[in-house]
Amino acid sequence: MEALSLEQKSRDLQSYLIPLEIALRNSSVQKDGCPRLVPNPGNAAIHDYAGWASKFCQECSEPVVKQWSLTWALCQALWGQLRELEVRLDDANEYVEQLQRRKAFSHWLADTAAGRIEDEVALHLHERPIQAVFSFLTGCRISEACRLAQKCGDHRLAILLSQLVGSRQVVELNVMQLVDWRSLQVDAFIPEERLKIYALLSATPVWLSSDKRSINVCSELDWKRALAVHLWYMLPPTASIPQALQQYETAFQESEDGSRYAAYPLPAYLEEHGLRLEAIDADTSSIRERRLLPPAEAVQRPLLDPRSVTPDPLDYRLSWHLWMVLQALNYRHLSGQSQGLLHASYAEQLETVGLWQWAVFVVLHVPDAVIREASVRELLTRHCALRETPETLAKEKFLVEKLLIPAEWIYEAKAIRARRDGDHHREALYLLRARHWNQCHKLVCRHLASDAIINENYTYLRSFLDQLSRPENCVHIQGWDTAGQVYMDYISVIEMLELIRQNESSGCELEQLHTKVTFVCNRVDQIHCCSSKDRLAQSEMAKRVANILRVVLRLQHSPESDDSDLQRVPLRLLAPHIGRLPMPEDYALEELHSLTQSYLRELTMCGQ
């Protein structure tokens, strides 16, 4: 059981934004369906992260920021571009690079230990100067250790210390000295602090004295100094970093005889609680778990665990960016499940602080295309707002221009949000922009067309139908001919009639209008009505189409004579179409009465 606090997250957005911008600058977009971001090969990002972390560490007092700075400095030492290698580019080879990496790693170890060494020296300088000398040695500060030994009158020790950078013969002579003291049982009278220095000089991490005392050089050292001691004193000056790590790993792991002499590599927040060698047993289960994993993942998975840096197991800031750098260096051994957990966890963390657009950036690194697209669409659905503000527009511009997210995905997410809010107008508008022609057509015909017809707001309705009626779009719409096309032709008929009224019409224009009107007359009854409002709109269309047809036929068959009795509409052309129109009873009776009178007039004229 573990208690987690979700309220104490860092709200300093700079600690999120700047590393993410660095990751974006050092990434490339692969456009194949759903975009995928991959880190650029090389070590350029390491220097950007290290430079930012060093500067941010001076400005921010958050404890975890110091660990970020140390981590990026370590990455720079291990994989970054070293100035020494740039200077010696002509004669550089693998051996030279190995030595320069060792030198850079040594500087990093010395820098991390500097503060603790200063505290120890200040504590022991007057009462236990030999302990202060040992503290200087654990930071590879040999010159200061020599000066302190001289100042204390320990000239023989100072001479021995000055030979630490010499050949291995000095080490062998010190081993012989310790053996002689043990055989003569003289070491029983030598203080443990001094024996510890001689054990260090003889490259012996644990020395068993004649009186059965175990002189452990690493007993009071944190893990970084224990590692440094193995690199500087237990191995030859030409030894590589992997050799030092291997020897140190043997030192903190339990051997067959149950012995171990170095501190387990704990994160700083656990070291500050005083956990040392005797408190490591709690982690043996995690060691056993890692042994069941493939070797590469057994190292990378705990490395990317947030608890390796911070007591907050939900803070994935460093873990995610570190994985980006490792991928750029061609370390790709993390399993898909572990990668998915890392991406999803950091994306959720960014959502928590309000940076959902950067959460999209994070999930775009998911290797699986199906999961990647689903994750992006879920984020857009949760966060795309209907209200357009400078902030929301800037975020959408970032998604489209920087991350190459299809704009249609954003409009689709907004359409879903509008549907939730019951806003049919915006839903249709965003469905149209998202190129969902069939859904948009269905929504317009179901919720918007009737109101537009009843209120004679034809311009509004046509703003949707114009795009839906394009040949490349309407072929994807189910039932277009019996719904959207009918509304489109109805509006066209009204507009054509208005144009004819304003200008002198030709016979060709009247013929086109007659064709359109008869088409609408034959299709109005096919419009599907789901409510009384739909039936009212259908009735209004039928009534108006009947009137327009009557006007068109009158214009087509009107003789030149001004005798109003002769300006009649032929009943045989009007009645078949009027009969098909879906009208309510009052409209139908009115039309029947009009047709009956026309029929009687025709009979009277024929009788005369």
Side-chain angles (χ1 to χ4, degrees), residues 1 11 46 75 89 97 187 321 369 379 468 478 525 531 577:
M1 301 296 293
R11 292 290 174 176
I46 293 178
C75 292
L89 188 61
E97 182 177 0
D187 54 0
H321 291 285
L379 282 167
L468 295 175
Q478 184 179 6
D525 63 332
S531 63
H577 299 293

mmCIF file of all heavy atoms in Angstrom, residues 1 11 46 75 89 97 187 321 369 379 468 478 525 531 577:
data_model
loop_
_atom_site.group_PDB
_atom_site.id
_atom_site.type_symbol
_atom_site.label_atom_id
_atom_site.label_comp_id
_atom_site.label_asym_id
_atom_site.label_seq_id
_atom_site.Cartn_x
_atom_site.Cartn_y
_atom_site.Cartn_z
ATOM 1 N N MET A 1 0.851 -1.189 0.000
ATOM 2 C CA MET A 1 0.000 0.000 0.000
ATOM 3 C C MET A 1 0.884 1.234 0.000
ATOM 4 O O MET A 1 1.911 1.304 0.670
ATOM 5 C CB MET A 1 -0.896 0.016 1.244
ATOM 6 C CG MET A 1 -1.802 -1.193 1.361
ATOM 7 S SD MET A 1 -3.008 -1.266 0.013
ATOM 8 C CE MET A 1 -3.996 0.174 0.428
ATOM 9 N N ARG A 11 3.743 23.168 -10.318
ATOM 10 C CA ARG A 11 2.921 23.966 -11.213
ATOM 11 C C ARG A 11 3.766 24.943 -12.021
ATOM 12 O O ARG A 11 3.228 25.808 -12.700
ATOM 13 C CB ARG A 11 1.872 24.738 -10.397
ATOM 14 C CG ARG A 11 0.831 23.807 -9.769
ATOM 15 C CD ARG A 11 -0.075 23.212 -10.812
ATOM 16 N NE ARG A 11 -0.985 22.208 -10.229
ATOM 17 C CZ ARG A 11 -1.935 21.593 -10.906
ATOM 18 N NH1 ARG A 11 -2.072 21.843 -12.185
ATOM 19 N NH2 ARG A 11 -2.722 20.705 -10.327
ATOM 20 N N ILE A 46 21.053 15.901 -25.898
ATOM 21 C CA ILE A 46 21.686 15.785 -24.577
ATOM 22 C C ILE A 46 22.244 17.129 -24.146
ATOM 23 O O ILE A 46 22.058 17.566 -22.995
ATOM 24 C CB ILE A 46 22.796 14.716 -24.603
ATOM 25 C CG1 ILE A 46 22.183 13.329 -24.815
ATOM 26 C CG2 ILE A 46 23.613 14.756 -23.324
ATOM 27 C CD1 ILE A 46 23.209 12.227 -24.906
ATOM 28 N N CYS A 75 24.728 12.101 -18.612
ATOM 29 C CA CYS A 75 24.511 11.722 -20.018
ATOM 30 C C CYS A 75 25.490 12.446 -20.930
ATOM 31 O O CYS A 75 26.000 11.871 -21.899
ATOM 32 C CB CYS A 75 23.073 12.042 -20.426
ATOM 33 S SG CYS A 75 21.820 11.022 -19.617
ATOM 34 N N LEU A 89 40.564 15.497 -33.053
ATOM 35 C CA LEU A 89 39.745 14.764 -34.011
ATOM 36 C C LEU A 89 40.585 13.981 -35.017
ATOM 37 O O LEU A 89 40.208 12.908 -35.465
ATOM 38 C CB LEU A 89 38.839 15.757 -34.764
ATOM 39 C CG LEU A 89 37.776 15.132 -35.680
ATOM 40 C CD1 LEU A 89 36.833 14.268 -34.867
ATOM 41 C CD2 LEU A 89 37.008 16.238 -36.405
ATOM 42 N N GLU A 97 39.018 7.804 -27.121
ATOM 43 C CA GLU A 97 37.664 8.166 -26.698
ATOM 44 C C GLU A 97 37.326 7.518 -25.359
ATOM 45 O O GLU A 97 36.691 8.139 -24.501
ATOM 46 C CB GLU A 97 36.651 7.714 -27.747
ATOM 47 C CG GLU A 97 35.232 8.097 -27.378
ATOM 48 C CD GLU A 97 34.229 7.718 -28.439
ATOM 49 O OE1 GLU A 97 34.647 7.158 -29.473
ATOM 50 O OE2 GLU A 97 33.034 7.974 -28.232
ATOM 51 N N ASP A 187 48.903 -4.192 13.000
ATOM 52 C CA ASP A 187 47.722 -3.432 12.603
ATOM 53 C C ASP A 187 46.696 -3.316 13.715
ATOM 54 O O ASP A 187 45.799 -2.487 13.657
ATOM 55 C CB ASP A 187 47.082 -4.066 11.369
ATOM 56 C CG ASP A 187 46.786 -5.545 11.579
ATOM 57 O OD1 ASP A 187 47.078 -6.059 12.665
ATOM 58 O OD2 ASP A 187 46.267 -6.183 10.634
ATOM 59 N N HIS A 321 11.836 12.022 -21.036
ATOM 60 C CA HIS A 321 12.851 12.698 -21.851
ATOM 61 C C HIS A 321 14.142 11.873 -21.903
ATOM 62 O O HIS A 321 14.837 11.880 -22.933
ATOM 63 C CB HIS A 321 13.130 14.091 -21.285
ATOM 64 C CG HIS A 321 11.984 15.041 -21.454
ATOM 65 N ND1 HIS A 321 11.672 15.622 -22.662
ATOM 66 C CD2 HIS A 321 11.056 15.491 -20.579
ATOM 67 C CE1 HIS A 321 10.621 16.398 -22.517
ATOM 68 N NE2 HIS A 321 10.218 16.337 -21.261
ATOM 69 N N ALA A 369 0.620 2.144 -34.586
ATOM 70 C CA ALA A 369 -0.167 3.169 -35.276
ATOM 71 C C ALA A 369 -1.611 3.202 -34.797
ATOM 72 O O ALA A 369 -2.197 4.287 -34.654
ATOM 73 C CB ALA A 369 -0.121 2.924 -36.789
ATOM 74 N N LEU A 379 -7.624 12.286 -26.726
ATOM 75 C CA LEU A 379 -7.184 13.555 -26.166
ATOM 76 C C LEU A 379 -7.919 14.725 -26.813
ATOM 77 O O LEU A 379 -8.348 15.664 -26.122
ATOM 78 C CB LEU A 379 -5.673 13.716 -26.363
ATOM 79 C CG LEU A 379 -4.780 12.940 -25.404
ATOM 80 C CD1 LEU A 379 -3.341 12.926 -25.903
ATOM 81 C CD2 LEU A 379 -4.831 13.555 -24.016
ATOM 82 N N LEU A 468 -22.213 19.862 -49.626
ATOM 83 C CA LEU A 468 -22.656 18.469 -49.693
ATOM 84 C C LEU A 468 -23.028 18.062 -51.114
ATOM 85 O O LEU A 468 -22.932 16.888 -51.471
ATOM 86 C CB LEU A 468 -23.860 18.269 -48.767
ATOM 87 C CG LEU A 468 -23.595 18.441 -47.267
ATOM 88 C CD1 LEU A 468 -24.906 18.343 -46.502
ATOM 89 C CD2 LEU A 468 -22.604 17.403 -46.758
ATOM 90 N N GLN A 478 -25.718 8.765 -48.175
ATOM 91 C CA GLN A 478 -26.831 7.829 -48.324
ATOM 92 C C GLN A 478 -28.153 8.601 -48.338
ATOM 93 O O GLN A 478 -28.439 9.402 -47.453
ATOM 94 C CB GLN A 478 -26.814 6.817 -47.177
ATOM 95 C CG GLN A 478 -27.867 5.746 -47.287
ATOM 96 C CD GLN A 478 -27.779 4.753 -46.144
ATOM 97 O OE1 GLN A 478 -26.983 4.949 -45.217
ATOM 98 N NE2 GLN A 478 -28.577 3.709 -46.195
ATOM 99 N N ASP A 525 -42.772 14.433 -51.469
ATOM 100 C CA ASP A 525 -43.403 13.427 -50.607
ATOM 101 C C ASP A 525 -42.430 12.355 -50.139
ATOM 102 O O ASP A 525 -42.742 11.569 -49.244
ATOM 103 C CB ASP A 525 -44.567 12.774 -51.342
ATOM 104 C CG ASP A 525 -44.100 12.025 -52.583
ATOM 105 O OD1 ASP A 525 -43.068 12.427 -53.162
ATOM 106 O OD2 ASP A 525 -44.758 11.034 -52.965
ATOM 107 N N SER A 531 -41.044 14.490 -37.143
ATOM 108 C CA SER A 531 -41.729 15.295 -36.139
ATOM 109 C C SER A 531 -42.781 16.150 -36.835
ATOM 110 O O SER A 531 -42.852 16.239 -38.067
ATOM 111 C CB SER A 531 -40.740 16.184 -35.388
ATOM 112 O OG SER A 531 -40.126 17.113 -36.276
ATOM 113 N N HIS A 577 -49.304 16.927 -61.097
ATOM 114 C CA HIS A 577 -48.254 17.269 -60.133
ATOM 115 C C HIS A 577 -48.837 17.725 -58.796
ATOM 116 O O HIS A 577 -48.298 17.383 -57.742
ATOM 117 C CB HIS A 577 -47.365 18.376 -60.711
ATOM 118 C CG HIS A 577 -46.680 17.980 -61.985
ATOM 119 N ND1 HIS A 577 -45.719 17.010 -62.043
ATOM 120 C CD2 HIS A 577 -46.846 18.428 -63.266
ATOM 121 C CE1 HIS A 577 -45.291 16.879 -63.300
ATOM 122 N NE2 HIS A 577 -45.970 17.727 -64.062
#
